[in-house]
Amino acid sequence: MELGGEFRRNPSYREAVRSARQPELNGKGVQGGPVNAGTNIVNPADAALGRDSENPVVLAILDGDEFDTCFAGGRLPAEHPFAWHRVMAQPKADHGTWYVLVCIHLQHPYVNRAIAPPPPQPRNGGFLRMATERGRIYWLAQNEAVHATPDWKIHFSISPRGFDEAIAGNSNSTASTTSTVVASSSAQELWERDIGVAWDILAALFMERSCEAGMKARYTPWLEPDCQRGRELTVYVYTFSPEYDKGHVGGPMEGLSLPGEEHLHHLGYEHEALFTASFWKCFIQEAELRFVQAGLVSAGLAEGDLALPGCRYASLRNEAYIPVENQAWKEGDPSSMRVQPAYPPNAAGWNAAGHDNPLEEAYNLLEADTERT
């Protein structure tokens, strides 16, 4: 099966990856020297096959449902370029690209697009983001389709410990019009403490499992907590749509990518098919386990989300736009403006657009595991 380019399934690649792991790290460490953005590290797996690599490289091995834990403790170390506090300390800095090699996947470059300044003037919607190169094109394709294509997301609910009490005691808290709460410095620190821990855990897991598309975390408190509470972190579930082939088969970057980078930007069904029901079941359960071990507290199920069996933090929602009544419409305006595509209100439920659920079988596997316990 072609994966928009080179497909890593040959024995020499597998052996090169395995032999490159450092024995002193017991197969659980980061490959090569200091993990600083921009550091050139020659990856032995690439060297063995005559390829070069740049920037830090994590080596991961994916054999069916067998995964390696590439980060000690199951979270990003403090010195990692994408670690929460390192990014938030310099929100406008270039935090580089991190490469993950997986023996049956392509080399995945992850670009931290979390470049958002701290409150009270947030950009990027108040979210810290990380994406693969394909994920960035995926978001572009969704924009081209006016967000009408499937937009499946796994949400993770986190209630920062002590934050609600701090807000309640801060009589001077004010709300801005930019979807953020301007909280006291102590409340903001409490928010970032636990959201930061959750980010470091989920980002590590996302890269370990060589996930596709991207993820994000809310770095400022919600303006309307009851509206979005329970969606503090998000993992995007790449879902192919034939709409992405209209006008450019393979997505918006077809014919525009630099030579040798075409496979990074290609949008096709094969990139969805690689992530099986078993993959998502294991991913969700591992995230749940690591959050529990870290002592994180759930904020409860987000209104409008689908609860996942046996899960304390994770839920599912398709946030593809749906037609809604335009509240600003008035007599005399064009009738075509009376209804407009918009983000589905919570009351519309977890799949207002009615798209096929790519995690239906994963849901069934989670349910079966719950029944067994």
Side-chain angles (χ1 to χ4, degrees), residues 6 26 81 110 154 166 195 221 270 276 281 302 314 355 368:
E6 208 173 348
N26 297 319
Y110 292 91
I154 302 171
I195 299 299
E270 59 269 40
T276 64
K281 185 207 75 158
H355 294 139

Side-chain angles (χ1 to χ4, degrees), residues 35-39 55-56 78-99 110-117 128-130 199 207:
V35 285
N36 296 320
T39 301
N55 291 339
E79 67 271 18
H80 192 282
F82 296 172
W84 176 272
H85 290 294
R86 184 164 175 168
V87 174
M88 294 305 290
Q90 295 182 298
K92 293 186 178 181
D94 180 1
H95 296 278
T97 301
W98 192 263
Y99 288 85
Y110 292 91
V111 180
N112 191 325
R113 309 194 72 221
I115 322 304
L128 189 65
R129 300 174 189 268
M130 180 175 72
W199 165 274
M207 288 193 285

Side-chain angles (χ1 to χ4, degrees), residues 18-35 41 57-59 68-73 77 79 98:
R18 290 191 185 279
S19 63
R21 306 194 68 87
Q22 298 185 45
E24 65 270 24
L25 295 178
N26 297 319
K28 297 183 181 296
V30 175
Q31 160 64 27
V35 285
I41 298 175
V57 176
V58 172
L59 296 179
D68 282 346
T69 299
C70 303
F71 299 98
E79 67 271 18
W98 192 263

Side-chain angles (χ1 to χ4, degrees), residues 281-295:
K281 185 207 75 158
C282 293
F283 179 91
I284 292 167
Q285 289 177 332
E286 183 64 21
E288 291 269 328
L289 176 62
R290 294 188 192 185
F291 285 169
V292 168
Q293 291 174 338

Side-chain angles (χ1 to χ4, degrees), residues 8 48 92 161 230 241 272 306 320 343 361:
R8 316 294 198 201
K92 293 186 178 181
R161 292 162 292 183
S241 169
E272 174 186 344
L306 174 68
Y343 176 88
E361 185 56 32

